[in-house]
Amino acid sequence: MKKSIVILLVHVYVCFGFYLPGLAPKNYCKQEHQLPSCQSTVTLYVNRLNTEESVIPYEYHHFDFCPIDETNSPVENLGQVVFGERIRPGPYKIDFLKEENCKVACTKTYQGGDSAAEKKLITIKKGISLNYLHHWIVDNMPVTWCYILENSKQYCSTGFPIGCLVRKDDTCPISIENSRVGNYYIFNHVDLVITYHSGDSEEWGASFGNKGGRIISVKVTPRSIDHKGTPKCDSKEPLSIPSATIPSGQTLDIMYTYSVQFKQDNSIKWSSRWDYILESMPHTSIQWFSILNSLVIVLFLSGMVAMILLRTLHKDIARYNQMDTGEDAQEEFGWKLVHGDIFRPPRKGMLLSVLLGSGVQVFCMTMVTLAFACLGFLSPANRGSLMTCAMVLFVLLGTPAGYISARVYKSFGGIKWKSNVILTSTLCPGVVFGLFFIMNLILWSKGSSGAVPFSTLIALLALWFGVSVPLTFAGAYIGFRKRPLEHPVRTNQIPRQIPDQSIYTQAIPGYFMGGVLPFGCIFIQLFFILNSIWSSQHTYYMFGFLFLVFLILVITCSETTILLCYFHLCAEDYHWWWRSFLTSGFTAGYLFVYCCHYFVTKLQIEDTASTFLYFGYTIIMVFLFFLLTGSIGFFSCFWFIRKIYSVVKVD
């Protein structure tokens, strides 16, 4: 019976197909053969422009290109709005299988002596000098600019420059004939090559046949052409924007033109159309090798730590529990001496419980988000879905945050439950939102597309106070109604004096040692994550490896914290509550140092606003990572201590 049901489900899946929302294939056909199942118009969308030399993105109309109709813009999800994506219909009109040759999109005229026109030209020249890139989209695919690298391999970038400033020691990414040093050249012409897969009657139905197809790639070649009033796309004379102001009485005309060519290629399936973009990323093979190498090393070290720890503990417990070997065998030493103080409540227990609640919230959010990403629900084709999923999950996971915070705080003997609930629901989210709001003010002042609209900020606050806070209160209510955690040993009334510690068992050296190994398993993957965030030409897609690295990070944080905690207990230091949290949480310190190194060595950011924005977003990321790793280390150590003190015989 079960086998029949499985076969039936498989047949249903094959017959009807399965596509994620917004990722279903779209069929195109000629206008004269238009059918209900296809469309003839190929809409080209323009996205915000960005650069590696600045963190501040701008909308398409900021640089005074051809006017666009923003009323028909597609609806953007929460993640796209927060990331500053502004997708608008472009000024280029394309019909399927209708080729265009040097078609005029618009002409912009700038009058000398006009302050408004001069201001627009200054904005364009500034964008050219900072290497701002266009980002276009056709059929939910990025329009790519492909060129040959020094190693004779083709690299396809998802953005192409708006122009080029010819410098003495620099060359333009696109060859410009008759160029002069110090001149600004705008790429006002684009050659679009649209490749499509025609399919057959069996795949798309007999009514569709060979009258259309599905788009599998769109490639662009930008050029600078001085049309001199009439469209001449075969001209070799580039269009130069003068570095000085236009003399009064003279004009500068910028004619934007485009050509469209269609190519049929049935060897590439629609489901594989992203492959040429992802496979052409630089150092892809090095990335795979480095990740595998890192995984092997970290797994080996983790196995060694676990083996040493288990063998040592086994001998200790066997020694403590032997009853018939004489009086000397019963003498207590090492970690057993502090059994009467090991569960003594820590100082600032309220703050620790709040951080742990938020850390569990971040941990659950990360696990579920990565799981969805590995299943393909959050692919690069589904723009903004990753950020949207993470934010919605963080809001909905307020219940476990409140529950964990309340349970831990109650086990510390705390009685200020109202303060605990309020701090859990507002402290850590308030820090993140406060930093985000400050950076949003800077983006607002710069007129950037990255500035989140006021209505979206109100929506975020509504999610916070209307959904997350009530869920946190509900979780805390359940947690406080539970009985306090029963510890395996009793706590003495008088605290035991801690002997002098060596430099290796002191707190601060322990923090530095505890963060090295966990950071070692993520720093290679971290490089590519930072590339995808701050570099406009890289797309992160290796979520399977990222999920494995995350699991190894959890294991490494747990084992490292347990090992160092055991050494501190053997030195008769029972202050483990905060130390277990900060030991693994110090991995975030190495993360911050690495982000600073990345900023200095990989980015070319010089302006103050972009520097402030970079480190502002970095602090948010480091803070959330601190909560994540700190909570992993604390609960691992908490389980370990309860385990070892529950198996030894204590009088």
Side-chain angles (χ1 to χ4, degrees):
M1 181 65 180
K2 292 182 179 179
K3 186 176 180 180
S4 301
I5 295 175
V6 171
I7 294 174
L8 177 62
L9 290 175
V10 170
H11 279 289
V12 171
Y13 176 86
V14 173
C15 292
F16 293 100
F18 173 73
Y19 298 108
L20 299 176
L23 301 182
K26 188 179 295 184
N27 300 328
Y28 294 91
C29 55
K30 287 184 177 181
Q31 191 170 11
E32 57 269 22
H33 300 301
Q34 189 169 0
L35 300 170
S37 60
C38 67
Q39 64 183 52
S40 61
T41 302
V42 180
T43 305
L44 187 148
Y45 292 98
V46 295
N47 203 346
R48 50 94 176 97
L49 290 84
N50 59 7
T51 177
E52 296 183 8
E53 299 182 22
S54 177
V55 181
I56 304 173
Y58 290 103
E59 284 202 53
Y60 185 79
H61 61 74
H62 177 79
F63 293 99
D64 195 42
F65 299 125
C66 289
I68 56 178
D69 183 13
E70 299 187 4
T71 57
N72 296 323
S73 301
V75 178
E76 297 160 345
N77 57 43
L78 185 60
Q80 288 177 298
V81 175
V82 172
F83 267 125
E85 291 198 15
R86 301 293 183 266
I87 300 176
R88 308 284 187 255
Y92 304 95
K93 309 303 178 184
I94 304 173
D95 291 325
F96 191 72
L97 294 183
K98 181 181 179 182
E99 298 195 350
E100 303 285 356
N101 185 21
C102 202
K103 186 175 181 179
V104 179
C106 72
T107 301
K108 287 287 187 176
T109 301
Y110 301 92
Q111 188 72 35
D114 186 356
S115 59
E118 188 61 38
K119 185 177 180 181
K120 293 176 181 178
L121 283 177
I122 291 175
T123 302
I124 294 176
K125 288 187 287 187
K126 183 178 179 181
I128 293 174
S129 63
L130 291 177
N131 296 318
Y132 270 86
L133 302 178
H134 285 286
H135 292 279
W136 292 357
I137 302 168
V138 172
D139 192 37
N140 203 33
M141 274 284 292
V143 176
T144 56
W145 168 45
C146 299
Y147 53 91
I148 305 300
L149 298 174
E150 295 179 356
N151 55 5
S152 300
K153 290 185 178 181
Q154 179 179 263
Y155 171 61
C156 292
S157 169
T158 55
F160 63 95
I162 66 176
C164 177
L165 170 60
V166 180
R167 298 183 174 93
K168 293 182 179 179
D169 301 328
D170 196 9
T171 58
C172 289
I174 301 172
S175 60
I176 300 176
E177 297 183 11
N178 304 321
S179 61
R180 297 180 180 179
V181 176
N183 283 14
Y184 295 86
Y185 295 94
I186 186 169
F187 297 134
N188 58 325
H189 176 83
V190 290
D191 293 311
L192 295 170
V193 178
I194 301 177
T195 307
Y196 66 97
H197 179 97
S198 65
D200 51 32
S201 58
E202 293 182 0
E203 183 180 2
W204 295 340
S207 61
F208 193 75
N210 294 322
K211 301 174 184 178
R214 294 173 179 172
I215 295 176
I216 56 177
S217 71
V218 181
K219 299 180 180 180
V220 61
T221 302
R223 288 190 288 157
S224 178
I225 301 175
D226 189 359
H227 295 286
K228 298 184 183 300
T230 56
K232 297 178 181 178
C233 295
D234 55 352
S235 173
K236 302 297 184 181
E237 185 67 24
L239 178 60
S240 173
I241 300 177
S243 56
T245 59
I246 303 175
S248 180
Q250 295 185 12
T251 59
L252 173 66
D253 294 330
I254 301 180
M255 181 182 294
Y256 292 93
T257 56
Y258 64 103
S259 300
V260 182
Q261 180 185 358
F262 286 87
K263 290 176 60 178
Q264 182 178 342
D265 188 351
N266 292 339
S267 63
I268 302 175
K269 294 183 179 180
W270 183 88
S271 57
S272 305
R273 61 180 188 162
W274 277 81
D275 291 354
Y276 85 99
I277 300 176
L278 302 179
E279 291 174 357
S280 67
M281 293 294 178
H283 313 299
T284 303
S285 57
I286 298 176
Q287 179 181 2
W288 283 81
F289 175 77
S290 301
I291 292 173
L292 289 173
N293 187 47
S294 177
L295 291 175
V296 171
I297 293 174
V298 172
L299 284 174
F300 174 76
L301 293 175
S302 300
M304 292 294 295
V305 169
M307 184 181 65
I308 295 172
L309 195 58
L310 290 175
R311 290 187 62 184
T312 305
L313 272 178
H314 180 73
K315 291 182 180 179
D316 284 349
I317 293 172
R319 185 188 305 117
Y320 289 146
N321 289 341
Q322 58 183 335
M323 301 297 296
D324 302 322
T325 55
E327 207 173 285
D328 292 338
Q330 299 300 317
E331 183 179 354
E332 296 181 357
F333 64 92
W335 55 272
K336 193 183 178 186
L337 281 174
V338 296
H339 66 82
D341 299 275
I342 193 65
F343 292 107
R344 189 177 302 281
R347 296 178 180 177
K348 302 185 184 301
M350 172 78 79
L351 178 60
L352 179 59
S353 64
V354 169
L355 295 178
L356 290 171
S358 297
V360 170
Q361 191 175 8
V362 175
F363 176 81
C364 296
M365 176 197 73
T366 307
M367 281 288 292
V368 177
T369 302
L370 288 178
F372 279 127
C374 289
L375 294 174
F377 290 95
L378 309 177
S379 67
N382 199 359
R383 291 176 178 81
S385 59
L386 186 70
M387 190 66 177
T388 302
C389 179
M391 289 190 292
V392 171
L393 283 173
F394 186 83
V395 169
L396 296 178
L397 290 170
T399 301
Y403 177 81
I404 294 296
S405 179
R407 289 280 282 171
V408 173
Y409 181 63
K410 192 172 183 179
S411 69
F412 292 160
I415 57 175
K416 298 179 180 179
W417 63 272
K418 293 181 181 179
S419 301
N420 177 261
V421 175
I422 293 174
L423 286 174
T424 303
S425 58
T426 58
L427 179 61
C428 295
V431 171
V432 174
F433 185 83
L435 290 171
F436 179 77
F437 182 75
I438 292 173
M439 291 181 290
N440 202 55
L441 290 177
I442 297 175
L443 292 171
W444 265 339
S445 66
K446 296 292 184 178
S448 170
S449 66
V452 176
F454 182 74
S455 58
T456 306
L457 287 177
I458 297 299
L460 291 174
L461 289 174
L463 286 174
W464 180 12
F465 289 102
V467 180
S468 181
V469 171
L471 289 176
T472 306
F473 270 76
Y477 175 78
I478 298 172
F480 275 113
R481 286 182 62 88
K482 295 282 187 179
R483 299 178 63 181
L485 295 173
E486 295 183 3
H487 300 308
V489 292
R490 291 175 296 179
T491 302
N492 297 333
Q493 294 183 353
I494 302 175
R496 180 184 180 87
Q497 186 176 1
I498 300 175
D500 295 336
Q501 301 293 307
S502 65
I503 189 172
Y504 301 105
T505 57
Q506 291 180 2
I508 295 180
Y511 300 154
F512 281 94
M513 291 186 290
V516 171
L517 191 57
F519 179 76
C521 75
I522 66 167
F523 83 96
I524 295 176
Q525 196 71 220
L526 181 64
F527 171 78
F528 297 101
I529 293 175
L530 292 178
N531 264 353
S532 67
I533 295 175
W534 302 114
S535 175
S536 57
Q537 301 181 18
H538 297 277
T539 303
Y540 190 86
Y541 63 97
M542 300 179 66
F543 293 107
F545 270 101
L546 182 61
F547 188 74
L548 290 176
V549 169
F550 176 74
L551 293 180
I552 292 178
L553 172 68
V554 173
I555 296 171
T556 311
C557 283
S558 304
E559 292 181 346
T560 306
T561 307
I562 289 173
L563 182 62
L564 291 175
C565 180
Y566 174 74
F567 289 154
H568 291 138
L569 294 180
C570 290
E572 302 179 21
D573 186 354
Y574 52 85
H575 291 155
W576 66 274
W577 300 97
W578 274 104
R579 184 170 293 176
S580 62
F581 184 85
L582 296 176
T583 296
S584 56
F586 198 79
T587 310
Y590 290 99
L591 172 62
F592 180 76
V593 172
Y594 186 83
C595 289
C596 295
H597 169 76
Y598 182 86
F599 178 82
V600 173
T601 58
K602 301 298 181 181
L603 298 180
Q604 302 174 359
I605 297 175
E606 296 180 356
D607 61 297
T608 305
S610 294
T611 302
F612 184 85
L613 290 169
Y614 174 85
F615 283 101
Y617 287 118
T618 298
I619 290 174
I620 291 178
M621 182 173 64
V622 168
F623 178 67
L624 294 176
F625 192 75
F626 169 72
L627 296 175
L628 170 70
T629 53
S631 300
I632 293 171
F634 176 88
F635 287 108
S636 302
C637 196
F638 185 64
W639 169 84
F640 168 75
I641 288 178
R642 287 178 62 87
K643 190 71 175 177
I644 64 173
Y645 282 98
S646 63
V647 296
V648 298
K649 295 181 175 65
V650 179
D651 295 334

